[in-house]
Amino acid sequence: MAPPKKEVKPAQKAQAAKKAALKGTDGKKVKKVITNTHFFRPKTLRLARKPLYPRRSVPRKPQLDAFKVVQYPLNTESAMKKIEENNTLVFIVDVKSNKRQIKEAVKRLYDVDAARVNTLIRPDGLKKAYVRLAADVDALDVANKIGFI
């Protein structure tokens, strides 16, 4: 059985409340002993930004579209040899374009699937792309369709 509770008189209760109000209920604060020589700033709440207005009025258009990526086909002797023997088209492309962009641009412009794309930057600063076409597509037919043969 639990021990019987003592009755607390209202005067004693008031004294305890006065003492708590004057002294505070926290008691003594314990100082943390710092053992590290480096200070690490405490992590605090970081709220996401909520701008009141957009910082640019019109969103940017993509810099490189298909017409900017593929500039023109190359029809030198070595390029013609590639077309006939390796089923490969040779293009001069934008220097900033990558292989995926070149592959996508050739697909969009000429409706052909590229098997692989090899690139190099020529000594004059232009980028050359060798676009190997899929086996079911003939590079000679595509070159005729483009109109450079």
Side-chain angles (χ1 to χ4, degrees), residues 29-110:
K29 295 224 179 207
V30 179
K31 282 240 177 187
K32 184 179 178 186
V33 178
I34 299 170
T35 57
N36 195 350
T37 56
H38 297 282
F39 174 74
F40 294 101
R41 190 173 50 78
K43 302 277 189 287
T44 56
L45 179 66
R46 290 189 181 157
L47 297 170
R49 290 184 174 188
K50 293 181 283 186
L52 297 175
Y53 63 93
R55 292 299 185 257
R56 39 177 61 256
S57 58
V58 179
R60 284 185 176 168
K61 284 196 285 187
Q63 293 287 319
L64 292 173
D65 62 340
F67 296 101
K68 182 101 186 253
V69 170
V70 175
Q71 292 173 351
Y72 55 90
L74 212 59
N75 60 352
T76 58
E77 267 185 56
S78 61
M80 290 302 165
K81 192 173 179 186
K82 288 263 185 207
I83 289 172
E84 292 162 4
E85 294 176 7
N86 297 345
N87 201 33
T88 301
L89 294 171
V90 184
F91 295 100
I92 297 296
V93 295
D94 193 287
V95 179
K96 292 188 283 295
S97 61
N98 58 36
K99 292 181 182 185
R100 288 184 204 87
Q101 289 171 329
I102 294 166
K103 195 172 182 177
E104 190 62 39
V106 168
K107 184 181 177 84
R108 180 175 285 159
L109 293 175
Y110 306 118

Side-chain angles (χ1 to χ4, degrees), residues 126-145:
L126 298 175
K127 186 182 262 192
K128 190 195 294 188
Y130 296 98
V131 181
R132 178 93 181 255
L133 301 181
D136 60 330
V137 182
D138 187 29
L140 208 55
D141 295 339
V142 177
N144 281 327
K145 191 174 94 174

Side-chain angles (χ1 to χ4, degrees), residues 8-18:
V8 181
K9 295 180 183 171
Q12 284 179 333
K13 209 171 186 181
Q15 278 298 105
K18 179 183 172 190

Side-chain angles (χ1 to χ4, degrees), residues 15-30:
Q15 278 298 105
K18 179 183 172 190
K19 185 179 174 187
L22 288 172
K23 188 178 170 193
T25 55
D26 290 339
K28 281 201 167 188
K29 295 224 179 207
V30 179

